[in-house]
Amino acid sequence: MEKLPILLMPEKTGYILLKFSDLAYAKAEGAYVRIRTAGGESALLTGKLKQLESILYGAAFFRCHHSWLVNLHFVKKIKTDDGVWLLLMEGEAVPVSREKRKGLMERMYRL
């Protein structure tokens, strides 16, 4: 049985164990990070998005905006009218900052 990387993330009442592959995205909310899983579950974690980004470095995650870290396997469409947006399988529209647009396309080609 193949071992998948697991996150052990602190929340207000304990810890959440989560497979990297189940994490759809993370969004900064002040001193917290809201995560959303493949099943649509949501949790508010303590810590900064930068910490989570460093843990997930090298996986299929991309920091597309200062407030968003997205699992590129959950991107359904890249919308390019009126800015650049990632449309996710869960229905969310995530902005891509101007500084990250070129890097996004490079990462998508490497998946």
Side-chain angles (χ1 to χ4, degrees):
M1 186 168 165
E2 179 186 354
K3 281 190 164 183
L4 294 174
I6 299 284
L7 284 172
L8 180 63
M9 299 297 299
E11 64 170 350
K12 288 182 180 180
T13 60
Y15 291 87
I16 294 175
L17 287 111
L18 182 68
K19 293 178 193 170
F20 283 18
S21 59
D22 288 342
L23 180 60
Y25 70 80
K27 182 180 184 227
E29 293 186 5
Y32 299 94
V33 175
R34 172 136 342 253
I35 62 168
R36 176 74 52 130
T37 67
E41 295 178 65
S42 178
L44 191 62
L45 309 176
T46 57
K48 299 281 186 186
L49 192 59
K50 183 80 173 164
Q51 295 168 311
L52 185 56
E53 181 183 20
S54 68
I55 293 168
L56 297 171
Y57 180 79
F61 292 86
F62 183 72
R63 182 85 175 258
C64 60
H65 190 275
H66 72 274
S67 298
W68 291 87
L69 181 65
V70 174
N71 184 338
L72 295 176
H73 291 294
F74 285 84
V75 174
K76 183 170 70 172
K77 182 178 182 178
I78 300 173
K79 186 177 168 195
T80 58
D81 59 333
D82 193 31
V84 176
W85 296 81
L86 301 177
L87 302 179
L88 305 182
M89 291 179 195
E90 298 290 320
E92 291 86 354
V94 178
V96 178
S97 69
R98 285 187 183 107
E99 300 83 32
K100 302 287 186 168
R101 291 175 187 175
K102 183 179 178 186
L104 169 67
M105 298 313 289
E106 290 170 359
R107 284 293 303 276
M108 292 302 288
Y109 285 121
R110 287 187 282 156
L111 279 183

